[in-house]
Amino acid sequence: LPVLAGFCFGIFFVGIHQASGVSIFWPLVATRLGSVPSLFLYTRLLHQPWLPERKHWKNISLISLLDTAGNLFFITSSLVGRLDLAAVVSSLYPGSTVALAYIILKEKISPPQMVGSLCALAALVLISL
């Protein structure tokens, strides 16, 4: 699953970079418009309600805003700098999720999570050389 996820992230980063050659705004719209049907399909396959409870809407809106901002920063950095470096830096966000879970939720970091985070950091160093 991690290899498949990495492959899909790579395709996403290259695709959004290619789409941003014409405009910065439309790739952002496309990612938002693509995420809603994907969520609907996923919840239908799992027989789950697709509309979240109202108490979660505030957090979902914040997450959506931050995700869109992250995509905007990726597009901007890939247009100004190197796509490979922008993609690797962007791929580090799961590591920050693990770190925040450790700091805020007091979760333990498993050995595979630690190895994955260290590999991502090593890749960042190697690709930036």
Side-chain angles (χ1 to χ4, degrees):
L1 287 179
V3 172
L4 177 63
F7 180 74
C8 291
F9 273 116
I11 288 174
F12 173 77
F13 289 138
V14 170
I16 201 168
H17 174 71
Q18 292 296 323
S20 65
V22 176
S23 169
I24 292 177
F25 176 71
W26 289 114
L28 296 175
V29 171
T31 57
R32 284 293 104 206
L33 291 177
S35 63
V36 173
S38 299
L39 174 66
F40 182 75
L41 178 64
Y42 180 76
T43 56
R44 289 292 112 197
L45 290 173
L46 295 180
H47 305 289
Q48 298 289 324
W50 80 274
L51 193 60
E53 295 177 26
R54 192 168 183 83
K55 66 181 180 180
H56 299 297
W57 288 9
K58 184 178 175 183
N59 288 338
I60 291 170
S61 297
L62 178 62
I63 291 166
S64 179
L65 179 68
L66 292 174
D67 181 52
T68 302
N71 289 335
L72 174 66
F73 291 139
F74 171 77
I75 289 170
T76 304
S77 67
S78 68
L79 290 175
V80 173
R82 293 174 36 194
L83 173 61
D84 56 347
L85 188 56
V88 172
V89 171
S90 298
S91 69
L92 290 176
Y93 86 87
S96 64
T97 303
V98 171
L100 286 172
Y102 175 75
I103 294 167
I104 295 172
L105 301 176
K106 308 297 184 212
E107 290 186 12
K108 295 190 187 273
I109 298 177
S110 69
Q113 288 172 322
M114 183 61 74
V115 169
S117 297
L118 293 175
C119 285
L121 287 173
L124 177 64
V125 170
L126 292 174
I127 205 163
S128 66
L129 294 177

